[in-house]
Amino acid sequence: METKIISIVGEKGGIGKTTLNLILASNLHYAKGKKVVLLDGDNPQYSIYKKRQRELSFLDASEIKELEPYTIERVSVVSIQDTIMKYYGLMDYIILDLPGSLNVEMVKGLLYVEHIFIPFTHDELEIDSTSNFYFTLKNNFLDNEERVLKSVNLFFNKYKLVRKNKFSLLRQQFEEAGIPIMRSVVKDRTIYKEQYRNTLYPIPENKEEGDMDIKKFLEELEQLSNL
C-alpha cells in the first residue's frame, strides 16, 4: 500500500491546523473508507489524543466496534520515526498534527512529511510570517536533494466573503512571488469547531457540498497529496 504522509501545519497557534487535521482524518476514514492513522505530536498537550479518549468514554464497547475508529497515537521527538515506520505501508494516510511553533518537535516531524498545507488569513503580520515559513520549508526541505517533502501548499483559512477582494489581491501577490495557493478556501464557520471537529464521525453527506465549502477543500487536498 502506498502511504502518504501529510500535515496541515503552521508556525503559530490559533490558526485552525488541529481542527482541520481532525476533520481531514475523520472524513478520509469514515467518508472515503481510507486507512488512516493520526499522530498527535503536540507534546505535552496532546489535545487530539485526549479528545479521542473523552469521545470514546461516552460509548460502550459495541458502539466503538461498530464505528471502527481510526487510530490516534501520541508521538514525541524520540518516538516519531519508529511510530511512522510501524504504520508506513499499512495505511493510506499518516496525518501528523504538529505544534504551533517552530520548535524541535515541529522540525523533527517535518523531516517525515511529504505534503504540507499551511493555513493563513488576511492579517498582515500573519501573511509575513507565513511567507517566511514557506521559504524556510522550501529552502531547507523542498529544495534538498535528500528531501522527503514533495509539496508545500498554502490556503486561505477563516475566509470571509465580505473580504473577497482582499483575498483576491493576496492570491495574486503570492502567485507572483512563486508561492503555490490552493484554489479552495476554508470559510470562517463556528460549526467546524462545534460539530465537525471530532474523531468518530465525518461531515454529514448532505452538508458542506457547495463550491466554497470545506468538502471542496478536502477534495483538493486529497488530490494534491496524490500527485
Side-chain angles (χ1 to χ4, degrees):
M1 179 177 291
E2 183 181 356
T3 302
K4 292 91 176 176
I5 306 176
I6 62 179
S7 181
I8 297 171
V9 66
E11 64 169 341
K12 59 182 292 186
I15 58 173
K17 66 178 184 61
T18 296
T19 292
L20 293 174
N21 277 324
L22 262 177
I23 293 174
L24 173 64
S26 294
N27 279 271
L28 283 172
H29 179 69
Y30 300 115
K32 297 293 186 71
K34 302 296 183 181
K35 293 184 178 179
V36 174
V37 60
L38 178 54
L39 303 183
D40 187 349
D42 195 6
N43 182 14
Q45 290 85 3
Y46 292 126
S47 57
I48 289 179
Y49 180 83
K50 292 174 182 176
K51 179 175 177 59
R52 162 59 66 81
Q53 300 310 303
R54 288 195 301 271
E55 291 176 349
L56 290 179
S57 70
F58 294 106
L59 305 176
D60 59 36
S62 62
E63 290 173 316
I64 295 173
K65 183 178 180 180
E66 183 177 354
L67 286 173
E68 297 183 352
Y70 56 90
T71 300
I72 296 176
E73 279 207 35
R74 294 170 292 184
V75 293
S76 66
V77 171
V78 175
S79 67
I80 187 169
Q81 180 174 345
D82 289 342
T83 306
I84 288 174
M85 294 308 298
K86 180 172 71 173
Y87 291 106
Y88 198 83
L90 301 176
M91 297 286 140
D92 294 301
Y93 290 92
I94 297 174
I95 300 174
L96 275 164
D97 188 68
L98 297 168
S101 59
L102 200 57
N103 57 18
V104 64
E105 281 85 5
M106 177 185 281
V107 173
K108 179 73 171 181
L110 290 173
L111 292 174
Y112 304 98
V113 181
E114 297 170 336
H115 299 280
I116 290 175
F117 301 89
I118 306 174
F120 73 100
T121 67
H122 64 276
D123 180 80
E124 183 178 357
L125 294 178
E126 188 174 320
I127 292 166
D128 288 340
S129 65
T130 301
S131 300
N132 292 332
F133 184 46
Y134 168 79
F135 284 111
T136 297
L137 293 175
K138 184 178 186 297
N139 295 333
N140 292 281
F141 295 93
L142 197 58
D143 292 341
N144 188 323
E145 291 182 358
E146 299 178 356
R147 71 186 187 276
V148 170
L149 187 61
K150 298 178 181 178
S151 73
V152 181
N153 297 278
L154 278 66
F155 65 92
F156 294 133
N157 189 37
K158 300 181 180 179
Y159 181 90
K160 295 182 174 68
L161 286 173
V162 294
R163 299 194 175 181
K164 62 181 181 180
N165 292 335
K166 173 69 172 178
F167 280 107
S168 178
L169 179 61
L170 285 173
R171 180 184 294 277
Q172 180 180 343
Q173 291 172 341
F174 272 81
E175 290 176 346
E176 289 175 351
I179 301 176
I181 302 287
M182 295 175 65
R183 298 186 307 275
S184 307
V185 300
V186 177
K187 290 196 282 190
D188 188 16
R189 288 183 170 173
T190 56
I191 195 172
Y192 297 157
K193 283 188 176 183
E194 293 180 355
Q195 293 187 32
Y196 299 156
R197 184 179 63 181
N198 70 81
T199 74
L200 300 177
Y201 305 98
I203 296 171
E205 289 186 14
N206 60 339
K207 302 293 185 180
E208 294 293 320
E209 294 183 342
D211 288 339
M212 295 186 67
D213 289 342
I214 197 169
K215 283 185 178 178
K216 290 295 183 183
F217 165 76
L218 297 175
E219 289 172 4
E220 184 179 359
L221 187 152
E222 187 178 358
Q223 291 169 359
L224 290 171
S225 67
N226 280 279
L227 294 178

